[in-house]
Amino acid sequence: MEISKVGVLGCGLMGSGIAQVAATAGFDVTVFELEQKFLDKGFAGMEKSLTKLAEKGSLAEAPGAIRARLKGTTSPQDLASCDIVIEAIIENVAEKRKIYASLDTIVKREAIFASNTSSISITELMTATRRPDRFIGLHFFNPVPLMKLVEVVRTVATAEPVYEAAYAFAQKLGKVPVRTSDKTGFIVNRLLVPYLLDAIRAYEEGVGSIEDIDNAMKLGCGYPMGPFSLLDFVGLETTYYITQVMYDEFKQSRFASPPLLKRLVMAGWYGRKTGKGFYDYSDPSHPKPNRL
Ligand code: CAA
């Protein structure tokens, strides 16, 4: 099961990161987006990231050679000959099922379909296609060019050679794959989400300030970011969505959103991307905790 041509659906933060690491690892990559402006934005992000990595001497080739393997398209037909198609579009079941169903008739039968979803059931997505045996989860972490982990997710229908090919593919990307199965949240979010929600509850209960809770976990546990910085980094609307899916799956209070998270999302304070979340990013290099 040879993988040489990679398709990526979506050129946002995750899609562009996945496309970048695949091209860096030597694969020919075609990235699909609905509109050219989304491709332009994603490609500009890749350019910045590749330049940064080249400056640090972490690339084996010049950025130009890597860019030459990357192609953007707004035509789904351009994905027809891909060996694997990795979807990283908006976290919406209906949208994901729609795009998989339409690509199922376009992309060659032998190709593997993968989803980068962090919480939606892979099984639910796979039933939009007629290739359930060739359907897996490949969950990357933000920022994709730096984070080493990929969760490789099997369903009850995944064929063993497909799973092993996907696992080997993740290794070829220079990542460290872990094996997991289709239970909402997989390994990382199963453990990370209750921790992040507990940090919000601790703040709501007056255990400490936003800054002190962040510093406590950073300096006391050696985490690269405290929970509030990480929440703002991941995106509060993304985390809120994940809590809803996880709570719906497990019906356990540890996955339920604290009121403050919901309020911030309703207010449109999504974190770094909107300039406001638990911190204010008016001066991005010196975020200030908001009074909440
Ligand atoms: N490409 C290339 N370089 C990048 C980059 C990218 N995409 N993003 C950051 N960098 C570089 C920065 O430019 C910086 O370079 P210099 O040292 O030359 O200045 C370097 O990486 C370090 O970055 P920062 O100085 O900004 O900050 P940092 O030392 O804290 O590192 C970090 C940043 C790697 C993101 C680190 O803070 C970290 O590991 N944070 C935790 C991230 C995390 O937990 N991610 C998972 C989130 S959960 C998820 O993604 C899944 C889900 O389902 C929600």
Side-chain angles (χ1 to χ4, degrees), residues 59 75 132 140 145-146 185 213 234-235 250 262 266:
L59 298 178
S75 165
F140 293 80
L146 302 187
I213 293 174
V234 169
F250 299 112
K262 188 173 176 184
M266 286 195 293

Side-chain angles (χ1 to χ4, degrees), residues 4 38 42 52 85 88 92 122 145 149 166 184 191 202 227 234-235 237 281:
S4 63
F38 300 128
K52 188 94 208 168
V85 175
N92 177 300
I122 305 297
L149 183 70
T184 298
L191 302 179
V234 169
E237 87 293 13
Y281 296 89

Side-chain angles (χ1 to χ4, degrees), residues 49 52-53 56 118 139 141-143 145-147 189 192 224-225 230 233-234 242:
S49 175
K52 188 94 208 168
L53 294 168
K56 288 190 178 162
S118 50
H139 186 213
F141 292 80
N142 179 26
L146 302 187
M147 304 302 282
N189 281 332
L192 178 65
M225 286 177 169
L230 185 54
F233 180 70
V234 169
I242 295 172

Side-chain angles (χ1 to χ4, degrees), residues 9 85-104 113-138 153 155 157 182 186 241 245:
L9 307 177
V85 175
I86 308 168
E87 167 274 315
I89 68 163
I90 183 174
E91 285 287 87
N92 177 300
V93 182
E95 290 296 325
K96 286 184 194 282
R97 284 180 57 88
K98 199 166 99 189
I99 200 160
Y100 279 127
S102 71
L103 283 174
D104 199 34
F113 277 8
S115 176
N116 178 57
T117 183
S118 50
S119 54
I120 293 170
S121 163
I122 305 297
T123 310
E124 189 170 0
L125 298 178
M126 115 201 156
T127 56
T129 72
R130 284 174 299 164
R131 60 182 88 202
D133 55 325
R134 317 186 66 73
F135 204 109
I136 46 139
L138 277 181
V153 187
T155 74
D182 186 27
F186 316 130
Y241 180 78
V245 180

Side-chain angles (χ1 to χ4, degrees), residues 2-161:
E2 198 57 42
I3 294 177
S4 63
K5 289 172 89 173
V6 176
V8 178
L9 307 177
C11 198
L13 200 60
M14 298 305 285
S16 63
I18 295 166
Q20 181 186 321
V21 297
T24 303
F27 294 97
D28 286 320
V29 184
T30 304
V31 193
F32 169 80
E33 258 296 357
L34 293 174
E35 291 181 46
Q36 184 62 37
K37 65 178 180 191
F38 300 128
L39 287 171
D40 292 344
K41 192 167 176 219
F43 273 69
M46 289 192 252
E47 185 74 41
K48 215 171 134 191
S49 175
L50 286 171
T51 306
K52 188 94 208 168
L53 294 168
E55 278 167 15
K56 288 190 178 162
S58 8
L59 298 178
E61 295 174 290
I66 296 170
R67 272 196 303 274
R69 289 193 285 273
L70 280 159
K71 187 179 147 207
T73 185
T74 53
S75 165
Q77 303 296 337
D78 288 343
L79 299 170
S81 61
C82 286
D83 303 303
I84 186 166
V85 175
I86 308 168
E87 167 274 315
I89 68 163
I90 183 174
E91 285 287 87
N92 177 300
V93 182
E95 290 296 325
K96 286 184 194 282
R97 284 180 57 88
K98 199 166 99 189
I99 200 160
Y100 279 127
S102 71
L103 283 174
D104 199 34
T105 57
I106 295 172
V107 181
K108 65 182 184 187
R109 171 73 191 106
E110 317 85 81
I112 299 174
F113 277 8
S115 176
N116 178 57
T117 183
S118 50
S119 54
I120 293 170
S121 163
I122 305 297
T123 310
E124 189 170 0
L125 298 178
M126 115 201 156
T127 56
T129 72
R130 284 174 299 164
R131 60 182 88 202
D133 55 325
R134 317 186 66 73
F135 204 109
I136 46 139
L138 277 181
H139 186 213
F140 293 80
F141 292 80
N142 179 26
V144 181
L146 302 187
M147 304 302 282
K148 295 294 280 184
L149 183 70
V150 177
E151 293 180 307
V152 186
V153 187
R154 68 167 85 239
T155 74
V156 290
T158 309
E160 201 52 34

